[in-house]
Amino acid sequence: MNEPKRFRDATSDAPDELRRLFQAGTEDVPGEAELASLALRLGPVFEPPPSSTPLKLSTAAKVAAVSALVVGSAVLFALNFGPHGTRPPDAPERWTPSETPPPASAQALPPAAGADATGKSPAPESGAGAVSTPSVVAPSSAPSSAPAVRPNGAAARPAESEAELLERARRALASNPARALALTEQDRTRFPAGVLAQEREVIAIEALKRLGRSDEAARRAADFARRYPGSAYRKKLDTGRP
Amino acid sequence: MREVFDEHASYIWRTFRHLGVPEADVEDLVQEVFVVVHRKLGEFEGRSSLKTWLYGICLRVASDHRRRAHVRNERAQADPAEHLAAAGELQPDVRAETRAQLQALLATLDEDKRTVLVLYELEGLTMKEVAETIGCPLQTAYSRLHAARERVLAALSASRERGRVP
């Protein structure tokens, strides 16, 4: 059976308007900010499996990973590398659970994909059918662990994750690109093998651009292209968007 | 996982848009897909391509989303006619306008036809891959594609007559 020519095929007999719309549809990709936001939310699942049985996490590990995901999700909305951040300039950079609730879907992800109204999943028809979304532990309204108390009585800052540190860097971009750049360097020191190295570089390159260090930004972008040839960010960086 | 993200995140994102997921929910649903992938990738047997497998997950996540929206008695989709009427009026950005016009056309289709049309016309799957992904006979997939194309052409024609050329 021959497949029909696709609407967007130049030799199809589809009206020009339809060809134009469907061609545009194939070029509709998320922006750099949207990708970075998603990547920072997904940071925990980018972590390599801790054991020799990849992706077969223990129950405790699943809970920990999903909990981390939920926390990460709550932190990162509307990532914006444009000139105008979505956060008020006088707002604190440090996210706390009370500032931004996690998305509803993160608090209560759906039952297993394909589940019926009773919540029972039918037998999968294929490999692709054997999917289910996990039960997600709703985040506590309080921090997961109480901050340690320093000898001088000041509360120590809980260990900050790679995603949280980079989120601070991202937030600083609009108002203080020098600080954003410094935070990416801090991230490089603390997480030399971090799974969000691409996001770190994207933020650093943007910070350099904003600081007027365009030559450095270009060099770093070229290095990025060499190190991450398959990166989802490549297209955006290649355009040299100011 | 990182490689899967780099290679496939953009088209998963795009697929949800084309399947009619509201813009505000797309990121959450892409995240759901990757959580599922994280859990299931080790069980992926390679009987289909990774891309086809991912599309299957996307369709199920999108279907669940529609079901939840229905249960909440929310409007997962605005009226297609409203979309067509609004296209070009509310979106100053040309790309956003084009996107809205395409979404308006796709919104004239029911879920089955829309899925086949999106996978074939926009995502470039072969019809055999489309049938595998949605789990239907090949002939059924062809029938849905034919009906979807006819419907889209009719919707375009109707919008022209109303002077609302997408």
Side-chain angles (χ1 to χ4, degrees):
Chain A
M1 192 175 295
N2 291 330
E3 295 186 341
K5 288 182 178 175
R6 292 179 172 84
F7 283 150
R8 57 187 156 88
D9 190 320
T11 61
S12 82
D13 56 2
D16 289 344
E17 292 156 296
L18 208 54
R19 187 177 298 118
R20 174 180 64 84
L21 289 174
F22 276 76
Q23 179 59 41
T26 66
E27 298 163 358
D28 184 13
V29 294
E32 181 180 281
E34 292 165 315
L35 275 177
S37 175
L38 183 62
L40 292 180
R41 289 173 67 166
L42 287 168
V45 303
F46 289 160
E47 296 284 352
S51 70
S52 59
T53 54
L55 302 175
K56 293 186 182 299
L57 304 176
S58 67
T59 301
K62 287 177 184 174
V63 170
V66 175
S67 297
L69 239 178
V70 171
V71 172
S73 301
V75 177
L76 303 159
F77 278 110
L79 218 159
N80 185 348
F81 287 100
H84 304 294
T86 55
R87 191 178 190 82
D90 57 344
E93 288 185 3
R94 174 68 175 163
W95 172 82
T96 60
S98 61
E99 288 179 9
T100 311
S105 62
Q107 295 183 56
L109 285 181
D116 62 21
T118 66
K120 296 177 182 176
S121 298
E125 297 174 3
S126 66
V131 299
S132 63
T133 45
S135 297
V136 173
V137 179
S140 166
S141 59
S144 56
S145 61
V149 177
R150 288 173 173 163
N152 63 4
R157 188 179 199 155
E160 186 176 41
S161 73
E162 182 184 14
E164 289 171 327
L165 176 55
L166 288 176
E167 172 60 9
R168 281 205 294 141
R170 185 203 65 77
R171 286 182 191 162
L173 269 175
S175 61
N176 192 345
R179 174 162 174 73
L181 186 61
L183 288 171
T184 62
E185 291 306 314
Q186 186 179 332
D187 178 84
R188 184 197 303 277
T189 302
R190 286 185 54 194
F191 305 99
V195 294
L196 298 172
Q198 289 188 40
E199 284 65 39
R200 177 177 65 215
E201 287 304 299
V202 168
I203 294 170
I205 291 166
E206 181 66 23
L208 287 168
K209 288 178 184 174
R210 288 169 184 258
L211 290 168
R213 296 156 63 175
S214 53
D215 288 347
E216 286 179 74
R219 280 197 297 274
R220 204 144 166 178
D223 185 55
F224 184 101
R226 280 191 296 273
R227 290 165 58 193
Y228 308 109
S231 169
Y233 298 101
R234 278 289 307 281
K235 183 182 291 185
K236 297 289 180 182
L237 291 171
D238 287 347
T239 63
R241 186 176 65 85
Chain B
M1 275 300 294
R2 182 76 219 198
E3 289 76 14
V4 175
F5 178 86
D6 285 338
E7 183 70 19
H8 302 290
S10 290
Y11 82 69
I12 290 173
W13 189 292
R14 179 177 63 203
T15 299
F16 280 130
R17 279 180 169 167
H18 290 152
L19 290 176
V21 173
E23 193 83 16
D25 296 340
V26 168
E27 187 169 319
D28 286 344
L29 265 57
V30 177
Q31 180 181 358
E32 283 188 35
V33 168
F34 278 99
V35 169
V36 173
V37 170
H38 181 260
R39 296 179 59 226
K40 297 290 184 181
L41 190 57
E43 300 170 16
F44 173 62
E45 297 173 346
R47 285 185 295 177
S48 60
S49 71
L50 179 62
K51 191 167 183 176
T52 304
W53 182 68
L54 291 172
Y55 276 122
I57 297 173
C58 283
L59 296 184
R60 285 164 179 80
V61 169
S63 179
D64 277 357
H65 177 270
R66 276 191 290 270
R67 189 180 305 122
R68 294 199 301 271
H70 179 71
V71 168
R72 292 195 303 266
N73 200 24
E74 293 178 357
R75 294 174 72 203
Q77 280 291 316
D79 176 30
E82 291 177 10
H83 268 291
L84 285 169
E89 296 173 10
L90 303 178
Q91 301 284 358
D93 177 76
V94 173
R95 289 188 62 185
E97 178 183 329
T98 301
R99 183 186 305 160
Q101 292 167 346
L102 177 60
Q103 295 304 319
L105 283 178
L106 296 176
T108 63
L109 304 172
D110 63 37
E111 181 181 340
D112 287 343
K113 295 184 186 67
R114 181 173 186 154
T115 300
V116 171
L117 192 76
V118 166
L119 294 181
Y120 181 73
E121 294 283 359
L122 291 164
E123 297 305 318
L125 268 64
T126 66
M127 285 305 293
K128 183 171 180 288
E129 290 173 328
V130 171
E132 287 175 359
T133 300
I134 62 179
C136 75
L138 182 59
Q139 185 58 48
T140 301
Y142 268 105
S143 297
R144 290 177 185 174
L145 176 65
H146 178 74
R149 289 164 62 104
E150 291 292 315
R151 182 74 189 87
V152 163
L153 285 166
L156 181 69
S157 177
S159 65
R160 281 171 168 167
E161 290 175 7
R162 290 195 302 267
R164 296 166 179 163
V165 180

